C-alpha cells in the first residue's frame, strides 16, 4: 500500500493527539498500527508522534520566469 505524503502527514497529526493522551500500553498499540500503515521505521515513528502537530510546508514560488 502506497500512501502520499499529504495522507501520511494528516494521519500523523491525528494520531499525535491520541498518542500524547495514551498510557504506555496504548502507545505501543498505536505505534504498532502506525508503523504497519505508513511503513516508517519504529524509532522514526516515535519521533514523529512525540512532536507537536505541524502545518503543511509552504509552497515554493518561482521568483522569475524561465529563460529558454
Amino acid at each position: 500500500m502506497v500512501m502520499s505524503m499529504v495522507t501520511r502527514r494528516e494521519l500523523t497529526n491525528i494520531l499525535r493527539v491520541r498518542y500524547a493522551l495514551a498510557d504506555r500500553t496504548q502507545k505501543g498499540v498505536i505505534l504498532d498500527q502506525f508503523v504497519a500503515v505508513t511503513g516508517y521505521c519504529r524509532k522514526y515513528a516515535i519521533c514523529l508522534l512525540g512532536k507537536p502537530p505541524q502545518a503543511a510546508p509552504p509552497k515554493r514560488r518561482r521568483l522569475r520566469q524561465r529563460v529558454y
Side-chain angles (χ1 to χ4, degrees):
M1 180 175 161
V2 178
M3 294 178 77
S4 68
M5 279 307 289
V6 175
T7 308
R8 287 182 192 174
R9 189 175 297 118
E10 290 172 354
L11 180 64
T12 305
N13 286 336
I14 291 169
L15 289 180
R16 276 186 177 127
V17 177
R18 286 181 47 201
Y19 189 79
L21 298 175
D23 64 352
R24 186 178 176 99
T25 57
Q26 291 173 343
K27 282 184 180 185
V29 172
I30 292 169
L31 190 61
D32 289 338
Q33 293 172 352
F34 183 67
V35 168
V37 170
T38 59
Y40 287 146
C41 174
R42 190 171 176 87
K43 287 294 184 178
Y44 181 62
I46 292 169
C47 290
L48 283 179
L49 293 177
K51 293 180 181 177
Q54 299 174 342
K59 295 195 176 201
R60 296 173 67 180
R61 258 185 77 188
R62 243 180 232 286
L63 299 178
R64 53 192 165 113
Q65 295 288 329
R66 290 185 181 176
V67 177
Y68 291 99

